[in-house]
Structure formats: C-alpha cells, structure tokens
Amino acid sequence: MVCGLKVLISNDDSYLSPGLYILYESVKDLYEVLIISTQYPKSATGREITFNKPLRLYKTKYLGYEVFVTDGSPIDALHLAVNVLGFKPDLLLSGVNVGENLSLQHIFYSGTVGLAIEAALMGIPAIAISADVYEFSDFNDPLIKNLISGFLRGLLINVEKLGFPEGVDVLTINIPRADVYRNCYKVTKAARLRWRARYRVDRDVRERLCYWLQGDPRLSEADTDVYIFENEKCVTITPITVDLNAKPETLRQVERLVGYSGR
Amino acid sequence: MVCGLKVLISNDDSYLSPGLYILYESVKDLYEVLIISTQYPKSATGREITFNKPLRLYKTKYLGYEVFVTDGSPIDALHLAVNVLGFKPDLLLSGVNVGENLSLQHIFYSGTVGLAIEAALMGIPAIAISADVYEFSDFNDPLIKNLISGFLRGLLINVEKLGFPEGVDVLTINIPRADVYRNCYKVTKAARLRWRARYRVDRDVRERLCYWLQGDPRLSEADTDVYIFENEKCVTITPITVDLNAKPETLRQVERLVGYSGR
C-alpha cells in the first residue's frame, strides 16, 4: 500500500472468475484493496438492483484470495461494500470481464460497465475492463495477465497523479486477444451499435415455436472502439459520462413539443 | 389510424399491467399500434437481454386487448417485435410504469427507460412514461387515465409535426399522483441521484445475517426532475441522449493518462 488509496475490485462474472484476481494482482502492492463479487454470474443483466428480498453477504477464500460474496447483483455488491462493510473506495475497478464490451449498445447492457456507472453516480471514479476471451480458463494465459497488468499499472499511476479529466466519469477499456494484439493503445469514442438482432426460429421438443437470439455484426464506423478493436487490434480506452441529460439548449425546444411550460 | 405512423407499445411490468392499455387507449385512433410485453414483471432489471436460451412469443387477449407476450425481457420484446413480427415502429411508447423514474440513477436502473434507450440506439424515437402509483389497480382511477391520456395526445401531435430536437433520443415523462397534481407541466433535466443505499441488518429464521436494501432519499438539487416532481407536483418531461461518449476534447486528456496513443 503506497499511497493509502482505497480500491474496490468487483465484476459481473461472479467470484469464480480469475479476471477478478488479475485485477487484484495488478494493484495489490499499490493500494488498499477489497474484493467483492456475486455468487453467480450476472452477465447481460445490465443494472439490476435487489430491493424485494434480503441479501446474503459472506467472506470466503477462492484460489487463495479473500473475497466477499453476495447472492445479489453486481450493483448490490457495490452498495454492500460501501454501506455494510464500510469500505468507501477512491476508485472502483470492474472486471476483467469475459468478453469485450464495445459500443454504446454493449456499454448499456453490460454488468461490468453498469457497475462502473453506479459507482460514478455515487462520485467514485471507475474503470471497467473487458477482455476478448471466451471462458474463465483463458485468463490463465500469462500473456493476457501481463498485458492487462502492465497496461493497468501504467494507467493507474497517471490517474493517481492527474485524476480523470472533467466530464469523464468512467474509463471503459477493452483488451484484445493476446495472440492478435498489435502492441498499441488507442483512446477512442464508442460506436453506437455492435450488432443487429436476428432470431433463429426453432421448434422445441414438443414442436412448439421458439426464437433464439443471434446477432448480425454491423459495419462499424471508422474511429470508433469497434473499428479500432477489430481492425487495428489495439487496446481501446473509451471515456464516458453518466450524464444522460440532453444539452441544456434542447430544453426550450422540448417545451415547444409539450405546448407550454409551467402552466 | 390517421397518418399511418407505426407505434409500438411496451413496458417492463408485464402484460398484466393496465398501464400498457392506458397508452393504447390514448393513441389507438391516431396510429397503427402493436402491443408487446413480458410474461412476468421485469422491474429494476435494467437492460437485460436474453441470448443463452430460446424465447417464447405468443399472442393473447387480456382485458379485451390483443397483446403479444414473451418470456424474455422488455428489450427482448422490442427485438422480437421488430425482427420476428416484422413491426418496425416509427415511435416506441414505454410504460406506463408503476412507480416514477426520476434521476439518472433511476433512469439507468429502469426497465421502462432501458427499453426506450434500446429503441433509441436502433434509431427509433422513444417516450418512456412512469407514474407515481403503487399497484396495477391504481391505474383504474379515471383521473390518472385522463391525465396521462390528455398529456400524451397533446405531446404526440406536436412530436409528429416537429420531431424530437437534435440530440434528444428519449423523452422520459413522470406523472404525479392525480390527487396532488397541480395542473402543471415542466421540462427539466434529471438529477444525478435519487437515494443513498442503506441496509437493514436482519436475522433470518435460522438466525443467519441478511441485509435488506432501504433507500434514504437525498436532498434534491433545485431545477431537477426530482425537485420539481416532489415540490411543485408537476408532470416532468426530461429529454435524454443515449450518447454516453465524453466530450471529444477529453480524448486528448485521456491520452495523457494512458501515456501514449497509437503506439
């Protein structure tokens, strides 16, 4: 612990994901760190929060690491860490996610980024890290471990010195597969869409119709995270804001739609 | 059907919510309308999407209305409507939700707004409508029906004429309780936070610890949706964008954090 900064590490793939412990190994000598995660994977559940039932929270050991575990969602885990465990982080690290989270479409779906967004709303700077891997065991490759760890440590030293720029709430980072990575980093905006929905129409074992979601990848616009990740094989860094408010000057225009204001 | 516009109506409270049919009754004489919803309520699951199992989709009648139903999420329902039913809407109406969705915090959690955000990403303008009611039967009150219907029809006629202003992807609308409503409408930005998490520590029937999420409401900043809704008892209209990208000028500053760009 060099500077006393408190860093919370969490994810949406559950405490069984080695991605969580890659983050821990990357920063354990730099900061005071707490790891909390979910009992079960919660991918693509976006920003679920549990208010209709009580949650469990316990400490366990996994792969030799101390980790807190809840039966709730990633966002529940964050609130439990802050409010029940009393760990108020200066920074949240979310990930490393199994699978990249490129484009606004995925950023909105993603539990990994959703968690970072919740932290940012609470005033905690957050970094969400996702990797183009397919399963937990892919994280055992030393190449991907070193790639993530090396990149993250360099970034954090500068974040500590300079902070996030004004208007940036979350840094979302995508890590390419180690065997295609071209040793480059690029700061880039997020594309709007990643894919178009298409359904495979099937019949189940009782001959009833069912529909299975497939995605057609879309052509990605130049200079976006999707394009650079797929074509240039760089690590991408995408700064996002959590302020969804449309520009202030649109308020007057919307008043015309409503017909009047403040009647 | 006056102008041939196609309007998709959906929600996150399931096809059993009368809120869905208030929207239908409000616009059925104006547009070509299709109603699709979920089998079960999907509140506070944010932006869930189902890709790991096949989905069901069937047509049924409820309260005399024809409605398509899926066992997936609200976002699944939208994609099924467009891709399986071939209904490509010019506008999505999402709601009427049981419970208001004020502040960025709730906008990010909300299935009602999450659905509107997905439509917006696909290029479909969307309006999300939430009401400060507590249960389905509250929608049977003619006062709330007339309030919603009157407001929405006025708005839609202007939207048809003028379209959404540039940079506005979704209009999120919150409707106060009919008995406190002060007959005013206000266009306003969203507050950042609605509440702070607090947990009630309990023991379950086996004496094990558990934690139940409560929220402490926060003081709301003036001129925000929360403040106006709570203090002035107006309908609030909040225009939002789905473009989470931080301002372009921050990209250079983030490059300093990364240390280099495009190496």
Side-chain angles (χ1 to χ4, degrees), chain A residues 68-186:
Chain A
F68 287 89
V69 177
T70 175
D71 58 347
S73 72
I75 288 185
D76 295 326
L78 169 61
H79 288 299
L80 287 165
V82 172
N83 291 282
V84 174
L85 301 177
F87 190 87
K88 302 202 188 330
D90 302 296
L91 177 73
L92 171 85
L93 297 179
S94 179
V96 179
N97 190 61
V98 174
E100 40 79 354
N101 280 305
L102 298 159
S103 81
L104 294 172
Q105 191 179 32
H106 276 227
I107 284 171
F108 274 113
Y109 293 139
S110 162
T112 306
V113 188
L115 176 61
I117 287 172
E118 182 76 4
L121 287 168
M122 295 159 71
I124 303 162
I127 301 176
I129 303 127
S130 308
D132 188 15
V133 299
Y134 299 102
E135 53 182 24
F136 288 172
S137 63
D138 293 340
F139 282 126
N140 297 329
D141 178 3
L143 282 176
I144 192 90
K145 279 189 195 180
N146 292 338
L147 168 51
I148 294 168
S149 199
F151 174 77
L152 189 61
R153 286 178 70 93
L155 174 66
L156 288 177
I157 285 164
N158 287 329
V159 165
E160 207 182 300
K161 256 191 304 203
L162 304 169
F164 280 9
E166 179 120 11
V168 174
D169 296 309
V170 173
L171 294 179
T172 63
I173 293 166
N174 284 285
I175 310 281
R177 272 176 32 227
D179 60 330
V180 303
Y181 173 55
R182 293 204 193 130
N183 200 29
C184 49
Y185 308 151
K186 278 211 174 160

Side-chain angles (χ1 to χ4, degrees), chain B residues 100-139:
Chain B
E100 39 80 354
N101 280 303
L102 297 159
S103 81
L104 294 172
Q105 191 178 31
H106 276 227
I107 285 172
F108 273 112
Y109 294 136
S110 161
T112 306
V113 187
L115 176 63
I117 287 173
E118 183 77 3
L121 286 168
M122 296 159 70
I124 302 163
I127 300 175
I129 303 126
S130 308
D132 188 14
V133 300
Y134 300 101
E135 53 182 25
F136 288 172
S137 63
D138 293 339
F139 282 126

Side-chain angles (χ1 to χ4, degrees), chain A residues 55 109 118 185 204 211 245 262, chain B residues 55-56 109 118 185 190 211 262:
Chain A
L55 295 170
Y109 293 139
E118 182 76 4
Y185 308 151
D204 71 11
Y211 307 88
N245 282 300
Chain B
L55 295 171
R56 308 291 169 167
Y109 294 136
E118 183 77 3
Y185 308 151
Y211 307 89

Side-chain angles (χ1 to χ4, degrees), chain A:
Chain A
M1 197 205 326
V2 168
C3 70
L5 280 189
K6 286 184 166 186
V7 174
L8 185 67
I9 293 179
S10 195
N11 70 353
D12 76 344
D13 286 330
S14 88
Y15 77 104
L16 302 172
S17 171
L20 203 54
Y21 310 105
I22 291 181
L23 295 185
Y24 178 76
E25 287 292 340
S26 303
V27 305
K28 69 176 179 184
D29 60 328
L30 298 174
Y31 308 114
E32 184 184 343
V33 180
L34 187 137
I35 316 175
I36 188 166
S37 186
T38 59
Q39 201 165 358
Y40 306 108
K42 294 279 183 178
S43 295
T45 59
R47 287 175 44 78
E48 189 176 13
I49 187 164
T50 309
F51 51 77
N52 281 327
K53 59 169 191 170
L55 295 170
R56 308 292 169 166
L57 176 65
Y58 58 93
K59 186 152 99 171
T60 189
K61 272 206 160 187
Y62 185 67
L63 304 176
Y65 299 99
E66 273 201 351
V67 55
F68 287 89
V69 177
T70 175
D71 58 347
S73 72
I75 288 185
D76 295 326
L78 169 61
H79 288 299
L80 287 165
V82 172
N83 291 282
V84 174
L85 301 177
F87 190 87
K88 302 202 188 330
D90 302 296
L91 177 73
L92 171 85
L93 297 179
S94 179
V96 179
N97 190 61
V98 174
E100 40 79 354
N101 280 305
L102 298 159
S103 81
L104 294 172
Q105 191 179 32
H106 276 227
I107 284 171
F108 274 113
Y109 293 139
S110 162
T112 306
V113 188
L115 176 61
I117 287 172
E118 182 76 4
L121 287 168
M122 295 159 71
I124 303 162
I127 301 176
I129 303 127
S130 308
D132 188 15
V133 299
Y134 299 102
E135 53 182 24
F136 288 172
S137 63
D138 293 340
F139 282 126
N140 297 329
D141 178 3
L143 282 176
I144 192 90
K145 279 189 195 180
N146 292 338
L147 168 51
I148 294 168
S149 199
F151 174 77
L152 189 61
R153 286 178 70 93
L155 174 66
L156 288 177
I157 285 164
N158 287 329
V159 165
E160 207 182 300
K161 256 191 304 203
L162 304 169
F164 280 9
E166 179 120 11
V168 174
D169 296 309
V170 173
L171 294 179
T172 63
I173 293 166
N174 284 285
I175 310 281
R177 272 176 32 227
D179 60 330
V180 303
Y181 173 55
R182 293 204 193 130
N183 200 29
C184 49
Y185 308 151
K186 278 211 174 160
V187 180
T188 175
K189 68 172 182 175
R192 202 169 177 99
L193 292 173
R194 182 83 173 97
W195 53 273
R196 278 175 69 89
R198 189 163 50 88
Y199 287 87
R200 196 179 74 187
V201 182
D202 258 342
R203 297 239 169 220
D204 71 11
V205 291
R206 283 170 204 86
E207 290 298 315
R208 290 177 308 185
L209 279 171
C210 58
Y211 307 88
W212 201 309
L213 180 62
Q214 300 179 283
D216 286 334
R218 295 173 65 94
L219 288 177
S220 56
E221 314 130 71
D223 288 329
T224 62
D225 57 348
V226 176
Y227 185 88
I228 288 164
F229 195 85
E230 294 200 333
N231 295 285
E232 303 183 14
K233 323 283 187 203
C234 296
V235 170
T236 61
I237 303 98
T238 303
I240 66 172
T241 167
V242 297
D243 190 357
L244 293 172
N245 282 300
K247 289 187 184 135
E249 56 266 33
T250 63
L251 295 186
R252 287 262 162 268
Q253 292 171 271
V254 174
E255 280 172 4
R256 290 179 59 205
L257 293 181
V258 179
Y260 32 45
S261 148
R263 173 163 69 87

